[in-house]
């Protein structure tokens, strides 16, 4: 952990960006628990739960072909501030959702909120290679994932209690206020990076990007590899688990918060423990370990406390997979294309997460058990392990 602390001490811009990230992500999970608690209280169908989970990712897919070009043609600080402002208003307006007749408003706000959040993430991830390099970039990616996981842990755990004690609308308001704090911290940051405004128009930039990917197939393979982590889009599955197995023994908001929080404990400690172990050749074993961790969760799913334990194991390997596959991509693309390639990478990742959320709802509605659905998700990581081995043998990686 000391290596991450030293990195923050020596990189003031990264330190402030990380603080903004911590606050923003923390706030995001308040909304997440409140939204799913609201849906379960309204007694909506599994399809609605799954569609809501899909919306968390769908917006990022739709905007990805354009967001990368915008990132490469706009100053990062200005863009980041605009995106946080969008998150503030989209989150605050969630207080007007009261019953099933307001689902259209809920869908719209989730779409806008997550579009801004995805855009912000892509912008920040394309910014990091411009201010850091080499080992520092690897550690910054790991730190980014640790902060995400810590925010996820604390946000999910505390929001479960906030929703239980103070109500859903209070959680939405608190979430919006945290984004306001993040906006102010970013606004006061002196952020100066190399920026050359491109002369090509949007369509020319997109065409140039596709030509670059055609000449550099290793980038496409690394994007596809990172997309496998999208199989961990468990939000819809967790909500259905709570409704089916745990609602009779614990309040819905508390069960949601605890399940996500325990998984996030694994997300936090995973890269700290695995940081010295992981390298390109060992990545295949982490994919295999993730598969077995999900199968363990499926086996223990019906028992609430055993499921909490299994959730930690599931999260343990996820962050390492995410950060290492992301760093591999960053190291194997040209600086000129950071914004666009990262945007397309996120599009593939979010497509996998959207597909996963859809299939959870589809399979659950058609009578398949939640345990079987989890087993299928675990099997996907064995396919990922085979793909890793093939990439390492056939592709020229830097």
């Amino acid at each position: 952990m000391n290596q991450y602390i030293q990195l923050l001490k020596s990189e003031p811009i990264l330190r402030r960006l990380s603080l903004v990230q911590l606050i923003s992500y923390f706030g995001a999970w308040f909304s997440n628990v409140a939204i799913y608690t609201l849906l379960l209280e309204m007694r909506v169908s599994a399809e609605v739960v799954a569609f809501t989970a899909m919306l968390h990712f769908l917006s990022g897919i739709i905007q990805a072909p354009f967001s990368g070009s915008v990132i490469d043609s706009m100053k990062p600080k200005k863009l980041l501030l605009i995106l946080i402002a969008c998150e503030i208003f989209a989150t605050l307006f969630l207080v007007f959702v009261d019953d099933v007749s307001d689902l259209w408003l809920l869908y719209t706000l989730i779409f806008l909120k997550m579009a801004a959040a995805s855009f912000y993430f892509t912008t920040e991830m394309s910014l990091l290679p411009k201010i850091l390099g080499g080992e520092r970039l690897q550690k910054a990616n790991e730190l980014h994932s640790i902060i995400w996981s810590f925010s996820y842990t604390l946000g999910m755990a505390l929001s479960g209690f906030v929703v239980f004690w103070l109500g859903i609308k209070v959680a939405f308001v608190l979430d919006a206020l945290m984004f306001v704090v993040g906006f102010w911290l970013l606004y006061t940051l002196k952020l100066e990076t190399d920026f050359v405004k491109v002369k090509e128009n949007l369509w020319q930039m997109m065409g140039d990007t596709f030509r670059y990917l055609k000449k550099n197939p290793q980038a496409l393979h690394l994007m596809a590899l990172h997309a496998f982590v999208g199989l961990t889009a468990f939000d819809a599955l967790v909500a259905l688990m709570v409704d089916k197995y745990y609602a009779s023994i614990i309040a819905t908001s508390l069960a949601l918060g605890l399940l996500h929080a325990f998984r996030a404990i694994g997300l936090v400690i995973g890269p700290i423990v695995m940081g010295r172990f992981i390298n390109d050749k060992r990545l295949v074993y982490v994919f295999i370990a993730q598969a077995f961790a999900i199968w363990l969760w499926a086996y223990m799913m019906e028992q609430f406390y055993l499921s909490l334990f299994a959730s930690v194991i599931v999260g343990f390997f996820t962050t390492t997979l995410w950060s290492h596959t992301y760093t591999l991509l960053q190291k194997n693309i040209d600086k000129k294309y950071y914004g666009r390639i990262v945007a397309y990478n996120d599009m593939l990742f979010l497509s996998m997460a959207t597909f996963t959320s859809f299939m959870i709802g589809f399979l659950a509605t058609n009578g398949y058990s939640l345990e079987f659905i989890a087993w299928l998700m675990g099997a996907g990581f064995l396919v990922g392990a085979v793909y890793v081995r093939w990439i390492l043998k056939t592709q020229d990686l830097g």
Side-chain angles (χ1 to χ4, degrees), residues 104-388:
W104 67 271
L105 178 60
L106 177 68
Y107 294 154
T108 302
L109 293 174
I110 289 175
F111 185 88
L112 294 175
K113 174 181 169 67
M114 297 312 298
S118 176
F119 209 146
Y120 184 98
F121 169 81
T122 303
T123 304
E124 187 173 48
M125 293 308 293
S126 63
L127 175 61
L128 287 181
K130 297 177 182 178
I131 61 177
L132 298 168
E135 184 69 18
R136 285 177 172 257
L137 177 60
Q138 169 76 35
K139 294 304 176 186
N141 284 336
E142 292 174 1
L143 180 64
H144 186 285
S145 60
I146 290 171
I147 291 173
W148 183 93
S149 304
F150 178 76
S151 303
Y152 188 88
T153 305
L154 197 58
M156 283 292 191
L158 292 182
S159 60
F161 289 101
V162 168
V163 172
F164 180 69
W165 285 326
L166 302 178
I168 293 170
K169 294 186 185 298
V170 173
F172 290 145
V173 173
L174 289 175
D175 186 354
L177 290 176
M178 280 182 274
F179 281 120
V180 171
V181 174
F183 182 93
W184 179 82
L185 287 171
L186 183 60
Y187 181 78
T188 57
L189 171 64
K190 186 177 181 181
L191 179 58
E192 296 180 357
T193 59
D194 294 335
F195 175 76
V196 179
K197 188 175 179 61
V198 294
K199 297 180 179 179
E200 300 100 324
N201 62 37
L202 178 64
W203 301 109
Q204 289 173 328
M205 292 177 71
M206 291 175 64
D208 185 33
T209 305
F210 289 130
R211 286 190 293 272
Y212 174 78
L213 289 173
K214 186 177 181 179
K215 293 179 181 178
N216 298 272
Q218 72 272 16
L220 273 174
H221 288 299
L222 292 175
M223 290 162 63
L225 180 63
H226 182 73
F228 274 89
V229 189
L231 288 169
T232 59
F234 295 123
D235 286 7
L237 181 63
V238 170
L240 295 175
M241 287 164 54
V242 170
D243 189 47
K244 181 176 181 179
Y245 295 131
Y246 317 135
S248 61
I249 61 174
I250 186 172
T252 296
S253 60
L254 295 180
L256 284 169
L258 288 172
L259 279 167
H260 285 298
F262 270 73
R263 179 162 68 96
I265 290 173
L267 292 171
V268 172
I269 64 177
I272 297 174
V273 176
M274 298 283 291
R276 296 183 179 181
F277 167 83
I278 188 65
N279 58 37
D280 293 354
K281 292 183 179 180
R282 292 172 178 170
L283 185 61
V284 62
Y285 301 115
V286 184
F287 268 88
I288 295 171
Q290 181 72 79
F292 279 95
I294 296 174
W295 289 341
L296 176 66
W297 193 29
Y299 179 73
M300 297 180 170
M301 188 176 288
E302 288 191 34
Q303 302 299 319
F304 180 66
Y305 295 105
L306 289 178
S307 183
L308 291 179
F309 167 75
S311 296
V312 177
I313 308 302
V314 168
F316 184 84
F317 302 102
T318 305
T319 313
T320 299
L321 287 176
W322 182 92
S323 61
H324 195 80
T325 53
Y326 219 119
T327 304
L328 269 176
L329 177 64
Q330 288 172 322
K331 288 181 176 179
N332 285 276
I333 55 177
D334 291 343
K335 185 176 182 179
K336 176 184 176 182
Y337 298 93
Y338 277 152
R340 282 165 279 178
I341 299 299
V342 167
Y344 285 120
N345 178 65
D346 291 345
M347 181 178 69
L348 287 180
F349 172 82
L350 294 171
S351 296
M352 179 66 82
T354 302
F355 175 75
T356 301
S357 298
F358 169 78
M359 289 305 298
I360 289 170
F362 176 80
L363 293 173
T365 302
N366 285 276
Y368 291 91
S369 70
L370 300 183
E371 291 85 351
F372 176 73
I373 295 171
W375 185 90
L376 286 178
M377 296 166 80
F381 282 96
L382 289 187
V383 177
V386 175
Y387 192 36
V388 171

